[in-house]
Amino acid sequence: MISAFFIFNQKGEVLISRLFRQDLKRSISDVFRIQVISNPDVRSPIITLGSTSFFHVRINNVYVVGVTKCNASAALVFEFLYRFITISRSYFSKLDEESVKNNFVLIYELLDEIIDFGFPQNSEIDTLKMYITTESIKSEMAVREDSSKITIQATGATSWRRSDVKYRKNEAFVDVIETVNLLMSKEGAVLRADVDGQILMRAYLSGTPECKFGLNDKLVLQKRGNEATKSDDAVELDDCQFHQCVRLGKFDSDRSISFIPPDGEFELMRYRSTSNINLPFRLQTHVTEPSKSRVEYTIHLRANFDPKLNANNVLLRIPTPLNTTGVQAKVGVGKAKYVPGENVIVWKIPRLQGAQECTLTAEADLAATTHRQAWSRPPIQVDFSVVMFTASGLLVRFLKVFEKSGYQSVKWVRYLSKANGSYQIRVS
């Protein structure tokens, strides 16, 4: 896969250097420093020079770089780089130049464990923390006991979990988090609507429990043409990705997710949905320019979810022309103010009940210009978070925990739909 791994600072100095194959020399780092770090015009995270490809991720004030001379999978290389960043954060919280210099011995230890001859190996954080530790030196007897546990976990069927985990109270928390992406035309037609979702789980369960997790009865995966039966209320998921603990055979047969969970917090599943999206908000816009010196706005917002639910931190960013000098805005709910530095009217609603409607009316005063350019009318952006609502319609039917000791566990399921700059409506 990759032939070399580097970490550079902003000046192009090499902080970490590891060669995995003999097809590259250490001087290849100078090529990256000259061609990428010293070149402000480079924006692509992948640079190919001759037969050598550089994959880099810039985080804080360092560059994390993978180098290869073969036709490696770009997605796999970036997955490894981001996985390395996640592991580093779990050890020393923040990955920057200072933390790399302070923990360079630890980083070399991690690299020796998670990658071998350029191919990723065990990258489970819980397993790595058992035998790569920054704690004080343990006694010889404790080291022997830990070594036996490490051998069992590293070579066993469940390398992501120890068998001796114990909790006084056994609990499992499931969060279904969806990010709604929308682009709506000024006539109200949906041009693009999709959902990026993830199921996060926090498992505080004793022993080695078997968990079974059921989703909607009407669940369609990766629908192609007429292969699947069309249904207006079916939940269609594309691009499903699962944690390595999931038994995929069970999911293919009965749409249930069966697994032995890692201890603590982890991402169980990631998915995407592009059909039958339930839009949480509808926006009607009416923007007119009665004269060259004034623009009038009427923005009508309606919450499309159940009245028993509430949306929190609803924020609308309504664009104004570049030559705006001032705005007078009136709202029935929340607060609205003009932000001249960003040329937007920001309408903040701390809490909005389902099925509730509210309206903003505003007048923007424009400065006279010698050469008047046509206003491009950028779309209105809506940010929000709605608890116990899923735009895709995905629901957790059940969550069962089986353990040989037969203890009782408490299960919690929470849903959250949100948008952060990805929910856009064009202005009419």
Side-chain angles (χ1 to χ4, degrees):
M1 191 181 119
I2 67 172
S3 301
F5 177 89
F6 297 99
I7 299 180
F8 296 85
N9 63 10
Q10 286 180 320
K11 298 177 182 178
E13 298 170 345
V14 178
L15 304 179
I16 298 292
S17 170
R18 177 70 86 203
L19 298 182
F20 303 106
R21 302 184 184 185
Q22 295 181 354
D23 56 354
L24 285 177
K25 295 182 179 179
R26 208 170 296 276
S27 59
I28 196 69
S29 60
D30 296 331
V31 178
F32 182 82
R33 174 174 53 81
I34 296 168
Q35 298 293 335
V36 178
I37 299 179
S38 302
N39 187 356
D41 296 331
V42 173
R43 294 186 178 181
S44 173
I46 304 175
I47 302 296
T48 300
L49 301 171
S51 61
T52 306
S53 297
F54 298 86
F55 302 80
H56 74 273
V57 176
R58 184 174 181 179
I59 176 168
N60 297 324
N61 55 358
V62 297
Y63 293 83
V64 182
V65 185
V67 189
T68 180
K69 289 185 76 73
C70 64
N71 187 19
S73 168
L76 185 59
V77 176
F78 281 115
E79 179 69 24
F80 168 73
L81 295 179
Y82 280 106
R83 187 66 180 167
F84 171 80
I85 293 170
T86 303
I87 294 171
S88 300
R89 284 172 170 168
S90 71
Y91 274 92
F92 38 86
S93 300
K94 186 179 181 182
L95 184 61
D96 56 12
E97 182 178 355
E98 183 180 1
S99 63
V100 170
K101 289 180 177 178
N102 292 338
N103 297 279
F104 73 95
V105 175
L106 174 60
I107 291 174
Y108 279 116
E109 279 192 75
L110 288 171
L111 287 174
D112 289 340
E113 292 296 335
I114 66 179
I115 192 165
D116 184 24
F117 197 63
F119 291 96
Q121 304 298 313
N122 188 1
S123 60
E124 278 297 317
I125 295 172
D126 291 338
T127 305
L128 292 170
K129 283 194 173 181
M130 289 184 65
Y131 50 91
I132 299 180
T133 174
T134 55
E135 297 175 355
S136 58
I137 299 173
K138 297 182 180 180
S139 65
E140 186 177 350
M141 183 61 69
V143 170
R144 287 179 182 175
E145 291 178 359
D146 286 349
S147 297
S148 63
K149 293 178 183 177
I150 290 167
T151 305
I152 294 171
Q153 185 169 351
T155 60
T158 55
S159 62
W160 54 87
R161 183 180 180 90
R162 303 198 319 270
S163 59
D164 58 348
V165 179
K166 291 183 181 179
Y167 287 99
R168 181 175 297 177
K169 185 178 181 181
N170 294 286
E171 295 179 299
F173 300 86
V174 176
D175 289 333
V176 181
I177 301 175
E178 295 188 342
T179 301
V180 189
N181 307 306
L182 171 73
L183 180 60
M184 183 178 288
S185 71
K186 58 185 179 183
E187 291 81 14
V190 176
L191 303 177
R192 178 179 63 86
D194 59 77
V195 168
D196 294 319
Q198 57 179 169
I199 299 178
L200 303 178
M201 188 170 181
R202 285 174 292 156
Y204 306 115
L205 302 169
S206 303
T208 310
E210 174 85 20
C211 295
K212 195 170 183 181
F213 186 95
L215 301 176
N216 305 55
D217 292 321
K218 295 183 179 180
L219 191 65
V220 180
L221 293 183
Q222 295 186 349
K223 190 171 101 177
R224 297 182 184 89
N226 296 322
E227 291 181 14
T229 305
K230 291 185 178 181
S231 175
D232 291 338
D233 57 350
V235 177
E236 299 174 12
L237 302 183
D238 303 313
D239 305 327
C240 292
Q241 300 175 19
F242 296 94
H243 190 275
Q244 64 175 352
C245 66
V246 176
R247 296 187 177 93
L248 298 178
K250 293 272 189 182
F251 185 74
D252 291 335
S253 60
D254 59 4
R255 294 294 180 259
S256 65
I257 302 174
S258 182
F259 59 97
I260 297 175
D263 185 41
E265 185 173 350
F266 66 100
E267 183 181 76
L268 179 65
M269 176 182 174
R270 184 183 291 269
Y271 61 90
R272 190 166 177 265
S273 180
T274 56
S275 302
N276 299 334
I277 306 300
N278 303 314
L279 299 177
F281 290 97
R282 283 281 179 180
L283 207 64
Q284 294 178 346
T285 65
H286 185 66
V287 180
T288 59
E289 300 181 50
S291 68
K292 294 181 179 181
S293 61
R294 195 168 84 251
V295 177
E296 296 180 348
Y297 297 83
T298 303
I299 310 296
H300 188 71
L301 178 68
R302 174 181 169 79
N304 269 355
F305 44 89
D306 192 282
K308 295 179 182 178
L309 305 179
N310 291 287
N312 299 315
N313 302 320
V314 181
L315 186 144
L316 283 77
R317 299 171 63 85
I318 305 161
T320 62
L322 296 177
N323 58 331
T324 302
T325 58
V327 174
Q328 297 82 40
K330 295 180 181 179
V331 292
V333 179
K335 295 181 180 179
K337 69 174 183 178
Y338 172 59
V339 182
E342 301 177 17
N343 286 300
V344 292
I345 303 170
V346 176
W347 182 12
K348 291 183 179 180
I349 305 174
R351 190 180 182 90
L352 188 66
Q353 188 177 355
Q356 186 176 351
E357 300 182 15
C358 48
T359 304
L360 173 143
T361 57
E363 288 187 3
D365 298 323
L366 309 181
T369 56
T370 53
H371 299 287
R372 188 168 182 268
Q373 295 180 346
W375 181 32
S376 61
R377 298 198 175 202
I380 296 174
Q381 295 182 3
V382 185
D383 297 347
F384 58 84
S385 61
V386 186
V387 180
M388 303 310 291
F389 172 85
T390 55
S392 67
L394 188 75
L395 296 174
V396 177
R397 288 188 291 122
F398 61 84
L399 173 60
K400 298 178 181 178
V401 178
F402 306 98
E403 216 275 334
K404 58 185 178 181
S405 64
Y407 60 71
Q408 297 295 317
S409 58
V410 181
K411 282 88 70 175
W412 307 87
V413 179
R414 184 183 68 157
Y415 304 95
L416 174 67
S417 289
K418 63 179 182 177
N420 186 15
S422 59
Y423 202 91
Q424 300 181 348
I425 297 91
R426 291 179 176 171
V427 178
S428 63

